[in-house]
Amino acid sequence: DAKTTQPPSMDCAEGRAANLPCNHSTISGNEYVYWYRQIHSQGPQYIIHGLKNNETNEMASLIITEDRKSSTLILPHATLRDTAVYYCIVTGGATNKLIFGTGTLLAVQP
Amino acid sequence: EPEVTQTPSHQVTQMGQEVILRCVPISNHLYFYWYRQILGQKVEFLVSFYNNEISEKSEIFDDQFSVERPDGSNFTLKIRSTKLEDSAMYFCASSYWPGPSYEQYFGPGTRLTVT
């Protein structure tokens, strides 16, 4: 079973920041938080990952709380092409397989 | 930008037939995976492969499934005798190095339809 909890759906206006929350209260010290997204039935697309510190790349920012029990993925300026299912995944320790949950369906509205 | 490629994009086969799905991982990646997604369901891990050995497999990956790296570039998934319930999207992924700090990159998938 997935170790994370995400809202099933969210809306965001085009051009605005999309903030996607994720709870992972049972995360272990050596486990990473990963974010992927899937557009229709395409292959999952890697977005960003982190262990303890906040991370930023050209796609998004990842904010991890100090206790590491939750995180937020931030898409700074959402576009219609960002409409997708976003998966928050915790992995690490003895495995690096990805266990996908049901994710959050982000709908970017014009 | 390097990417994982998969062939064919769509495979139709009859129940009981053998099928081989092919993947070309990113060239300097060393760790390979197969996942599948039945229509409308979650993406599920099948198997991981490193140094010519299976590293980890799920309960889905039974004796009907096998993986192989036949040469320096291809990574294949074989289903020996397909069942109707094997119909799904199959995704190959690769990462530079084993370990959870290295992200996995996914291919576009092969849609397998078993009739």
Side-chain angles (χ1 to χ4, degrees), chain A residues 14-25:
Chain A
E14 190 177 17
R16 305 298 291 268
N19 295 275
L20 291 90
C22 179
N23 287 319
H24 30 80
S25 58

Side-chain angles (χ1 to χ4, degrees), chain A residues 43-57:
Chain A
Q45 180 187 20
Y46 167 75
I47 301 173
I48 199 167
H49 73 284
L51 182 62
K52 296 179 185 176
N53 300 321
N54 298 337
E55 302 288 344
T56 294
N57 62 21

Side-chain angles (χ1 to χ4, degrees), chain A residues 1-2 30 32 34 36 38 40-46 49 87 91-102, chain B residues 31 33 35 37 39 42-45 48 56 89 91 95 97-109 111:
Chain A
D1 287 343
N30 59 356
Y32 287 75
Y34 273 82
Y36 281 81
Q38 189 176 27
H40 297 298
S41 294
Q42 296 177 22
Q45 180 187 20
Y46 167 75
H49 73 284
Y87 299 100
T91 190
T95 181
N96 56 348
K97 68 183 177 188
L98 299 175
I99 300 176
F100 288 79
T102 52
Chain B
Y31 211 84
Y33 312 80
Y35 292 79
Q37 186 175 32
L39 186 63
K42 300 176 189 178
V43 177
E44 301 173 288
F45 168 79
S48 59
E56 190 175 1
M89 283 289 288
F91 298 110
S95 63
W97 199 250
S101 62
Y102 292 91
E103 61 272 20
Q104 297 174 34
Y105 292 92
F106 284 75
R111 179 173 299 282

